[in-house]
Amino acid sequence: MFKSVKELIAICESENKMIHEVMLEQEMEVTGLSEEEVYANMDKNLQTMENALDEGLEGVTSTTGLTGGDAVLIKNYLATGKSLAGNTLLDAVSKAVATNEVNAAMGKICATPTAGSAGVVPGVLFGLKPRLNPSRRDMLNFLLTSGAFGFVVANNASISGAAGGCQAEVGSAAAMAAGATVELAGGTAQQSAEAFAICLKNMLGLVCDPVAGLVEVPCVKRNAAGASNAIVSADMALAGVTSRIPTDEVIEAMYKIGQTMPSALRETGRGGLAGTPTGQRLKQEIFGD
């Protein structure tokens, strides 16, 4: 069983395996499930993701009215052909936003790794689908690879905004998606690790400051940023760019940053954007005195 990214990559290289294969074997060992059962469970997760983004792209609005409809705006803008970011990137962003809008509207999502960051991994995966044309099994393997990186983060640092800020939620989700994207695109295990490190480095120090304490503002738009960061980081790694700081050390740095982050910036709804005059006004309008 691997406990670090270094150990994970070493297994891949010594046994000539892909990351998803190592994660599958570990999941089977830990749960006692067969390969078919693991894939069946993962397929349920994938279907939940697909349903959520489809629902969001049709248009949803949260009970508070703070979020909703942005995924549709992005989808419609994408259809004009005027996108500056390009079809693949903006399509991933629209689907990440759609998923997180469904979460804000109390719909059913698959936490990857958390509800507040649930849009990044499926947004990236389904955004890449038209470009890479993966099979259903390829898509399930994408989730296993994402899970392998998430497993390391959860056991060595944190995936909780309350414990480590949004860097631990959207940051981890984006890095997970970046690593999985590299494998889906045919990169090596080491390149996946480089993409993960590059991506997480770009989100170090990101605070968790939900307005009114709700997972809506700025959470939905941070999923958009996370999805775009993941794809760019994957491209960098596939181009041969490497991280000067090893992946596991980046994870450790994220953990230490989270430990020193003031409580006002860790999901308490007191600091950052939540503490602005508008943030406080919105809280008052929603909850009163």
Side-chain angles (χ1 to χ4, degrees):
M1 182 181 295
F2 61 91
K3 296 182 179 179
S4 67
V5 173
K6 182 178 181 179
E7 291 175 352
L8 172 62
I9 303 308
I11 294 171
C12 290
E13 293 179 345
S14 65
E15 300 183 15
N16 193 28
K17 292 177 179 177
M18 300 177 74
I19 294 173
H20 76 263
E21 294 176 309
V22 177
M23 186 59 186
L24 174 63
E25 290 175 357
Q26 177 159 300
E27 187 71 7
M28 291 168 60
E29 179 182 340
V30 170
T31 65
L33 298 176
S34 66
E35 177 176 329
E36 293 74 19
E37 289 171 325
V38 171
Y39 273 115
N41 287 340
M42 195 61 79
D43 194 76
K44 293 177 183 177
N45 295 333
L46 183 60
Q47 189 60 58
T48 298
M49 294 176 183
E50 188 168 19
N51 293 343
L53 67 86
D54 285 344
E55 182 181 351
L57 288 172
E58 290 296 317
V60 295
T61 303
S62 67
T63 301
T64 64
L66 286 177
T67 55
D70 287 345
V72 175
L73 291 177
I74 300 169
K75 180 182 72 171
N76 292 341
Y77 171 64
L78 185 59
T80 68
K82 298 178 180 179
S83 163
L84 302 178
N87 289 349
T88 299
L89 186 63
L90 201 59
D91 189 30
V93 165
S94 72
K95 289 169 179 173
V97 170
T99 302
N100 218 245
E101 286 184 331
V102 168
N103 176 65
M106 303 302 290
K108 185 178 181 180
I109 53 88
C110 180
T112 47
T114 65
S117 61
V120 179
V121 169
V124 170
L125 174 56
F126 284 94
L128 291 170
K129 186 177 179 182
R131 178 67 180 271
L132 298 179
N133 194 32
S135 66
R136 187 75 174 182
R137 181 57 67 97
D138 290 335
M139 297 176 76
L140 298 178
N141 290 338
F142 182 99
L143 298 184
L144 284 168
T145 302
S146 298
F149 285 108
F151 172 84
V152 173
V153 176
N155 284 281
N156 291 279
S158 175
I159 56 171
S160 164
C166 199
Q167 58 167 6
E169 291 205 26
V170 173
S172 294
M176 289 161 58
T181 294
V182 167
E183 183 173 276
L184 185 66
T188 66
Q190 184 59 48
Q191 286 177 319
S192 287
E194 302 292 352
F196 180 98
I198 292 168
C199 190
L200 186 57
K201 286 195 299 185
N202 292 338
M203 306 192 88
L204 289 180
L206 184 59
V207 302
C208 184
D209 51 351
V211 171
L214 302 170
V215 187
E216 298 191 49
V217 178
C219 316
V220 172
K221 295 181 180 67
R222 284 189 180 153
N223 277 254
S228 57
N229 183 17
I231 293 174
V232 170
S233 298
D235 258 340
M236 291 177 70
L238 288 166
V241 178
T242 61
S243 172
R244 296 297 185 186
I245 308 300
T247 309
D248 291 305
E249 291 184 29
V250 175
I251 294 171
E252 182 181 11
M254 186 267 280
Y255 174 71
K256 289 181 177 178
I257 291 169
Q259 291 294 295
T260 60
M261 195 176 286
S263 63
L265 301 178
R266 287 188 281 120
E267 208 172 335
T268 56
R270 294 189 286 113
L273 297 177
T276 62
T278 298
Q280 290 297 299
R281 175 178 59 78
L282 290 170
K283 179 181 179 181
Q284 173 72 20
E285 291 175 359
I286 294 169
F287 295 114
D289 295 326

